[in-house]
Amino acid sequence: MAAQIYVGTYGKYNEGSIAGAWVSLDEHDTETAFYAAAKALHKNEHDPELMFQDFEGFPRDFYGESYLDKRIWDWLELDDDEREIVAAWLEANGGTDSLDYIKDTYAGHWDSWDEYVYQCVDDAGWLENVPDEVASYFNYESYGRDLSYDYTVADADAGGIHVFRKQ
């Protein structure tokens, strides 16, 4: 879905009109270009006070009725996979963290939390030299519960989960 925003003005709204238009952020991928296009839509007003009345194709955290979060311009430069990761983080955590911070906390995509827990134990090698008869008593569920305090988990669009480390 294309990132776009419906741009009207407070002047028109106060007169009982929501006249405006959808403006593509992908086509106006800098803040300066976007605001120039948005103001050009309302050139019939002396000093249009822009009102953003709806949005689609980008995270809610970047949208406000009278502003766009400056992080949206960095978000537009991301590929589709990175956009999904950032959107999942924002849905789970909200906030004003930088996109670099969000990407740095990303641990990866797994089919389930249990799969992630098994992978952590395997990567750590904790059970490599333990006989199978003893290793079978390792409580993955309990370890996963303890581990979950250090992570945020968000659903992935195509199934599975995104895992983020808390820092």
Side-chain angles (χ1 to χ4, degrees):
M1 175 181 299
Q4 55 185 354
I5 192 156
Y6 191 84
V7 181
T9 67
Y10 283 99
K12 287 184 174 93
Y13 182 80
N14 289 336
E15 294 171 359
S17 172
I18 59 168
W22 285 99
V23 177
S24 169
L25 296 175
D26 292 317
E27 291 175 17
H28 305 92
D29 60 354
T30 67
E31 186 175 16
T32 303
F34 168 77
Y35 282 104
K39 286 188 177 198
L41 282 173
H42 301 287
K43 62 185 172 198
N44 59 338
E45 291 185 43
H46 170 65
D47 186 19
E49 186 179 0
L50 300 176
M51 180 181 192
F52 304 135
Q53 297 166 317
D54 200 1
F55 74 101
E56 63 183 17
F58 62 89
R60 170 75 177 95
D61 288 58
F62 297 155
Y63 165 81
E65 181 179 283
S66 60
Y67 72 93
L68 290 177
D69 187 305
K70 294 200 180 288
R71 294 177 296 170
I72 195 163
W73 311 112
D74 294 330
W75 183 83
L76 289 168
E77 295 177 12
L78 301 176
D79 65 35
D80 289 342
D81 291 336
E82 291 173 317
R83 285 182 179 188
E84 179 185 342
I85 290 165
V86 169
W89 165 270
L90 291 170
E91 186 174 321
N93 298 293
T96 58
D97 296 312
S98 74
L99 302 193
D100 286 336
Y101 173 83
I102 293 169
K103 292 189 299 184
D104 286 347
T105 65
Y106 187 61
H109 176 270
W110 279 267
D111 289 335
S112 68
W113 176 249
D114 290 343
E115 181 184 328
Y116 180 73
V117 172
Y118 279 93
Q119 185 70 48
C120 286
V121 171
D122 190 52
D123 288 350
W126 292 339
L127 302 177
E128 283 179 7
N129 297 320
V130 176
D132 290 342
E133 297 82 16
V134 175
S136 66
Y137 286 97
F138 185 81
N139 190 331
Y140 286 94
E141 183 179 343
S142 178
Y143 177 68
R145 192 172 40 255
D146 290 346
L147 193 63
S148 71
Y149 293 111
D150 296 328
Y151 292 85
T152 297
V153 175
D155 291 333
D157 289 346
I161 60 169
H162 293 295
V163 177
F164 299 91
R165 290 179 295 282
K166 292 181 182 173
Q167 295 186 348

